Amino acid sequence: MNNSALITITDLVKRFPMGKREFTALSNINLTFNGGEFAGIIGPSGSGKTTLLNIIGSLDVPTEGKAVVLDNSVGNLNTRQSADLRNQYLGFIFQTYNLLAVYTVFENVELPLLLLKMAASERRKLVNQSLEWVGLTDKVNSRPAQLSGGECQRVSIARAMVKEPKIVLADEPTANLDAKNSHHILQTMEKLNADLGTTFIFATHDEKVIQYLKRKISLEDGQVVADEVKG
Amino acid sequence: MLALKLAYRNLMGAKLRTWLNMIVLSMAFLVIIWNKGLLNGWDQQARRDTIDWEIGGGVYWQENYDPYDPYTIEDSHGRMSDVTLKAVEDGKLTPILIAQASIYPEGRVQSVSMRGIDPAQALLDLPANKLTGDNSSVPAMIGQRAARNFKLNVGDYVTVRWRDVNGTFDAKEMQIVHIFKTNVSTIDARVVWVPLADLQEMMQMPTETTLLVTSQEAGFQGSIPGWIFKDHYFLLTEIREMIEMKSVSGQVMFLILMSLAMLAIFDTQVLSIFRRQKEIGTHIALGMTQRQVVALFTIEGAMHAVLAAILAALYGFPLLYLQAKSGWSMPEGTDDFGMTIADIVYPSYSLGLVVGTTLIVLITTTIVSYLPARRISKMNPTDAIRGKIQ
Ligand SMILES: Nc1ncnc2c1ncn2[C@@H]1O[C@H](COP(=O)(O)OP(=O)(O)OP(=O)(O)O)[C@@H](O)[C@H]1O
Ligand SMILES: [Mg+2]
């Protein structure tokens, strides 16, 4: 990895087809993320935060320019390679948690490890450790429907963290949570960032999140208008 | 393995729908296995009975004989050669002479096929040894169907009228000495059995016969001039065709149930792919390729078949087993349609039948599950995650 940069984005443009015309969601993006960052992409609704996060997460590809994530150029990966990249190095946290309703908490957190073809005993150890990080060891056998929103989001943090990824991408993780729960999960993530050195990148316009960020990248109409590091 | 495990978890999570699909599918399973088993059992019993009672190891037909054309009966007889007579003596062959006759039970005329058989024969299960009596009348035996039709009982006398070899009409008293019970209707309905020697004398055809039935064990082999050998394949054609016809109606039932089950599974798949977009997107975000997700959903659908098979095994196989033990009672009067059928048919299930049916159901279910699941590979993961595909 060059200069410890985990993510390098150069001259990135993203356009979506809109009927016969095209809509430019992102343009002229140049950004670098290093290991251990606790950064946020902030901006009003429609500014392109989710689009940028999806490209970093190799769920989408740039129209122009490059996004290199852990030495992989997102636009050049085949589906297998981008799946492997996500599987091994990336964790996702969604606004709506996206837990699998028919699975227990344990099974939800275990899923990424199953995809990594890890042995059962190893999986058990890691799942329990991850649930300990988020403080949910007493809910292993509950199903998502039996949990509060805050608890669900903690499960999804545990699921993102269980394989100790290099980067966690969190899109509006607090949008469905009250203040108390928002602070709780942010403190949890802050601690994981400090203890494990995992890079966190948020997409948010929530002030409660923004106050925790060590770096704020402001987007407006698909362009970076500010990039400030705290302190 | 992973896909199997995940698919199982998903299915078990969606309890009601899974159960409904499984129950219909397991019924389709059982219907086809039961129906086929019953027909197999019927087929085997009918063949066994026909062989034991009527055709032995195959039959030599006098060359003019045609059971479908009663006018040929008059000419369908020939004298047995010494070689043939020797084989008869050795128990390798037994002759049956056939003549057209009329009997007059309760004064009504009934045309029958009068057949002469050697009372000493042991080649067929037909109880020819019962054909004894005083010399005042011809001893005759009939089957239960004929007895019912003609309202004749053991001990009854009945007048028989026939035309001998010279075309002269003659008549005689016959006494019913025995009524036998058989599943083979062709030797029962409208057939009267008398001792071969009596019939030969009545017809004035000494040492003549129409049929020569071979023994099942070490039967006569080789050709007999004037007679044509008919093997099992030929003689059992009717049974085979009847079973084939019957199995069609079973297959129709199977097809209906299968279609219902497949429709339900297809519907479940379409619905679940539509409703579970977020889940699909999440799987992709967690590191599955779209093809893996397609496989996951396909296996999940196909697993209905596996679970249905297990369910069918749980509630169905004990039922089928019991039935194979105690048999299936055929409706009253089925045998009057001229079919060879026992009162109770014992279904016969083979491993091939069970495995074959399982494979058919499994493959069909997999295809039906795959077709809707294919759509996943065309989904945009970012849209799927948000669940916004319409
Ligand atoms: N698949 C798509 N097809 C067409 N347009 C899209 C698509 N995805 C996003 N857009 C458009 O791109 C722009 C940026 O969308 P994006 O979701 O990145 O915004 P956002 O900053 O995350 O907004 P929000 O805060 O509301 O989540 C929006 O105008 C949106 O309509
Ligand atoms: Mg967004």
Side-chain angles (χ1 to χ4, degrees), chain A residues 16-18 23 25 44-51 172 205, chain B residues 383 386 388:
Chain A
F16 291 110
M18 280 255 291
F23 175 81
S45 182
S47 56
K49 305 182 292 291
T50 299
T51 306
E172 318 265 11
H205 50 231
Chain B
D383 291 342
R386 280 187 284 187
K388 67 175 209 182

